[in-house]
Amino acid sequence: MNLRAIKPLHETQTRILDAAEELFMQHGFEGASMRMLTARAGVNLAAINYHFGSKDALVEAVFRRRLDPENAERIAELDRLEKASGGAPLAPATIIRAFVGTSLRMIQDEKKGGRNFIRLLGRTYTDPAKRIRALIGQLYAPAMARFKDAFAKALPELPREELVWRLHFMFGTLSYTLAATDTLELIAGCKPEDRYDAAVLESRLTAFLAAGLLAPVPQRTGQRATDESVKQAA
Amino acid sequence: MNLRAIKPLHETQTRILDAAEELFMQHGFEGASMRMLTARAGVNLAAINYHFGSKDALVEAVFRRRLDPENAERIAELDRLEKASGGAPLAPATIIRAFVGTSLRMIQDEKKGGRNFIRLLGRTYTDPAKRIRALIGQLYAPAMARFKDAFAKALPELPREELVWRLHFMFGTLSYTLAATDTLELIAGCKPEDRYDAAVLESRLTAFLAAGLLAPVPQRTGQRATDESVKQAA
DNA sequence: GTCTATATCATGATAGAC
DNA sequence: GTCTATCATGATATAGAC
């Protein structure tokens, strides 16, 4: 999809990308300085500008290295599923599993970035910098359109606007689940053991998301929520 | 709950907090410099250190001003609902609406921070800086424990571990929905009109979350997800 | 309490020797 | 391609006049 993603990398470039992936996650893009990055990578301070041109370009390279192959894989998986079904619409849970599974498989595969990149990614969806979010959105756009069509075909009776909102909710649940590290302990009061077991998490997430996607459509009365209406809803 | 939250503020402090709320959202905590903040507030560069002690302390003050009253309100609402029901367990959707509604009502109330603060908050759950996340977690802890108990009472048959995961998913969906500004356009291909209508959003979110919370519990076979098992699930 | 002026330091980027 | 040395800039924080 993008030449940069498949161009063989110089070893120095790879070491810089690895260091950046880790330190961007720990300190954010502004917080991780070029001095920190090059020190961790064991290369010279000038190497980032030499190999990538600027710190901004490095940020983009960090995401391209992982996301271009990931989204290609995601789309290919959906293609395979649709071909296997022979034209019959796929079950919503199947489509969800294809999307979620690709992300979760990255957690267990260090060559695909592992847990560190997936957490960095989850955080970046809501980064303050608009250009960062725009970059992520651009890298996701083809896969997003492809999956939206698949869901629309699987749920022809669901109003298109409701579908869009629910995809938004689903994407949010996924990205937050991947990014968050503290809320779970806060709720649980302890550290669950299977937290990063991709297979178990995939089942939990798919069950939750599929139920939400198939929820009854709320009637739109347009009324404001008040303390009284909330109480009466009990 | 905290004296600082109810201590009457000097006007300069208020103007600094207002400026910080807006600029932290646009540029992040590292990206918004004290020069930017004081310029926007129309106060002197030294005023932040004089009134708050440091930039870090200002960050904390920004969140305390909004979250302490918000979580007190959230808990009070749950108390009221439980008292009104006279000991009978509440419907899960009612508890969800109490939690979600409090956040969404902030969007429409400029005195409570409005849309800007709620987006800042949503982003901060996944902030790179650990001390920032710890602060947010600490401010939320009492409300979180209170709502967890209410859900446990409403859903005695749901395994406790599954409940914890689902609360995690729900909190994620809410925080992402409040924070994200681009994904929705990306999915929809256009800007939905009712995007910030709190009443409509509350209905959509509650329907989605309630369905997810009540989803059938997936059986835990412990098997890894493979390409083949995913395909067969279709 | 507010302001100016400044101290001190870290940042991203680059020039030029090797 | 890699290094050292350095630049210009902007950061947080503070000292001291008013």
Side-chain angles (χ1 to χ4, degrees), chain B residues 33-35 45-46 49 55:
Chain B
S33 70
M34 294 173 70
R35 281 173 175 78
L45 171 60
N49 280 294
K55 191 185 179 183

Side-chain angles (χ1 to χ4, degrees), chain A residues 76-144:
Chain A
E77 171 124 353
L78 192 54
D79 287 341
R80 255 182 281 134
L81 287 169
E82 290 188 340
K83 187 172 286 182
S85 82
L90 296 169
T94 303
I95 308 174
I96 293 174
R97 207 171 265 271
F99 196 98
V100 170
T102 305
S103 287
L104 290 176
R105 249 170 276 129
M106 290 183 78
I107 292 183
Q108 302 209 316
D109 190 342
E110 280 307 319
K111 289 194 302 295
K112 290 178 180 174
R115 191 195 305 174
N116 186 78
F117 177 77
I118 213 88
R119 283 175 58 191
L120 171 63
L121 178 62
R123 284 193 184 153
T124 306
Y125 295 124
T126 56
D127 193 89
K130 205 164 207 166
R131 66 165 214 289
I132 301 266
R133 296 198 310 277
L135 168 65
I136 301 291
Q138 176 195 327
L139 295 180
Y140 263 102
M144 211 64 111

Side-chain angles (χ1 to χ4, degrees), chain B residues 38-65:
Chain B
T38 51
R40 171 67 61 98
V43 301
N44 188 266
L45 171 60
I48 288 179
N49 280 294
Y50 178 80
H51 285 287
F52 296 95
S54 71
K55 191 185 179 183
D56 268 17
L58 171 61
V59 172
E60 178 169 347
V62 164
F63 286 105
R64 281 200 180 279
R65 174 168 71 146

Side-chain angles (χ1 to χ4, degrees), chain B residues 84-152:
Chain B
S85 81
L90 296 169
T94 303
I95 308 173
I96 293 174
R97 209 172 264 271
F99 196 99
V100 170
T102 305
S103 287
L104 291 175
R105 248 171 278 127
M106 290 183 79
I107 291 184
Q108 302 209 316
D109 190 343
E110 279 307 319
K111 289 194 302 296
K112 291 178 180 172
R115 191 194 307 174
N116 186 78
F117 177 76
I118 213 86
R119 282 175 59 191
L120 171 63
L121 178 62
R123 284 193 182 153
T124 307
Y125 294 125
T126 57
D127 193 89
K130 204 164 206 163
R131 66 165 213 290
I132 302 265
R133 296 197 312 274
L135 168 66
I136 301 290
Q138 176 195 329
L139 295 180
Y140 263 101
M144 211 63 111
R146 182 75 182 74
F147 273 77
K148 181 186 164 191
D149 287 347
F151 279 117

